[in-house]
Amino acid sequence: MASASYCNACGAHNPHGVSSCGICGCKVDNPPRQNPVTSAEFANTKLVVFDIDRTILDTAERHRSAIRAGVQPKDFNYKVFTKMSKKDKKKREDFMYREDMLAKDRLMPNAMALIEHLMKEGYTIAYCTGRSFKWFEKTKNQLESKGFPLFQDSLGKPLLFLRKSESMSKGPYKAGVIKNLLNQYDVRMVFDDTVEVLQEASRLGVPGVYPSINDYWGMISP
């Protein structure tokens, strides 16, 4: 049976692994689990992996702001980004990851409802994004400010994964993250708007791969 934690401030029941209370927002103390690989409880923990940009967060307004500010072309995509100069890339990135810009992102329809549903069903939530690792703290703060739950691994680290090598494409990078998670969790689903990532997850044996929140939500909502 999955364990639970109780908030020291308000006493609310929270799933094991969350870093803050879902009711009052105060920090929840979760002692790390011991021997995670050999622990039957830990090995059987169901887990879902969510991408962030364009999967649980709508980044359209942030991109529009970057275009208006002249730091991003209208026809921007990954190929365009790779051809930008190092100086222009930095200028764009610094703009895009300002706190006021990140605040412009909006929740994708039904994203929070789905995550809350999965948590009630006993799932642990992980996030894996193609954002550069240098934006880890800002990404973590953004998720918390939007109300998304942050679970922790057996060592107390957030289940939040950002790309440490920008030279690696999303597919192989995220496949590596999912492969490592499969060593410790029962990864049941992956949500990502990139086809390459979903293909890699399927090859690794993840039974549920979805390009959007509503591809799954439509099957379970009344």
Side-chain angles (χ1 to χ4, degrees):
M1 179 181 296
S3 57
S5 300
Y6 295 88
C7 177
N8 293 329
C10 71
H13 173 285
N14 289 274
H16 187 94
V18 295
S19 58
S20 59
C21 176
I23 301 299
C24 70
C26 292
K27 183 178 178 181
V28 174
D29 293 323
N30 285 298
R33 296 176 179 174
Q34 301 301 314
N35 302 318
V37 176
T38 58
S39 166
E41 178 190 358
F42 187 74
N44 292 328
T45 298
K46 301 180 297 183
L47 182 136
V48 182
V49 181
F50 286 93
D51 176 35
I52 297 177
D53 297 332
R54 297 175 301 279
T55 298
I56 61 172
L57 286 178
D58 182 350
T59 61
E61 185 55 39
R62 186 153 49 104
H63 284 279
R64 283 193 286 267
S65 295
I67 292 170
R68 288 194 295 267
V71 297
Q72 176 176 299
K74 290 183 179 180
D75 59 346
F76 182 81
N77 55 40
Y78 181 72
K79 288 184 178 180
V80 171
F81 178 75
T82 59
K83 294 178 181 179
M84 293 172 67
S85 68
K86 187 175 181 180
K87 180 180 179 180
D88 287 342
K89 285 181 181 178
K90 184 178 185 305
K91 187 176 181 180
R92 175 190 174 274
E93 291 259 297
D94 288 346
F95 179 89
M96 289 289 285
Y97 291 98
R98 282 171 20 191
E99 283 82 358
D100 59 328
M101 290 297 108
L102 290 170
K104 293 188 175 186
D105 289 352
R106 295 291 179 262
L107 273 64
M108 294 292 279
N110 301 313
M112 189 64 74
L114 175 57
I115 288 177
E116 289 175 349
H117 166 79
L118 292 172
M119 288 171 62
K120 289 178 182 177
E121 294 294 315
Y123 285 89
T124 290
I125 309 298
Y127 307 95
C128 182
T129 172
R131 296 180 183 185
S132 171
F133 187 78
K134 63 185 175 182
W135 307 118
F136 181 90
E137 286 300 323
K138 287 192 174 184
T139 298
K140 178 175 174 287
N141 292 339
Q142 183 191 30
L143 290 175
E144 290 180 326
S145 70
K146 299 294 183 183
F148 289 106
L150 279 174
F151 283 74
Q152 299 172 334
D153 65 13
S154 62
L155 300 177
K157 295 181 180 179
L159 286 171
L160 171 60
F161 304 92
L162 282 76
R163 186 164 40 173
K164 292 185 178 180
S165 174
E166 294 185 26
S167 63
M168 182 179 290
S169 63
K170 289 183 180 180
Y173 147 65
K174 291 192 176 184
V177 172
I178 295 168
K179 189 174 182 179
N180 287 334
L181 287 171
L182 282 165
N183 291 329
Q184 305 175 62
Y185 298 89
D186 177 10
V187 181
R188 298 282 185 89
M189 290 177 268
V190 171
F191 290 82
D192 200 294
D193 67 318
T194 303
V195 174
E196 181 188 12
V197 174
L198 299 180
Q199 291 173 337
E200 293 285 359
S202 183
R203 290 190 188 101
L204 289 170
V206 178
V209 293
Y210 304 95
S212 74
I213 295 296
N214 284 333
D215 276 287
Y216 185 80
W217 183 253
M219 296 189 296
I220 65 171
S221 60

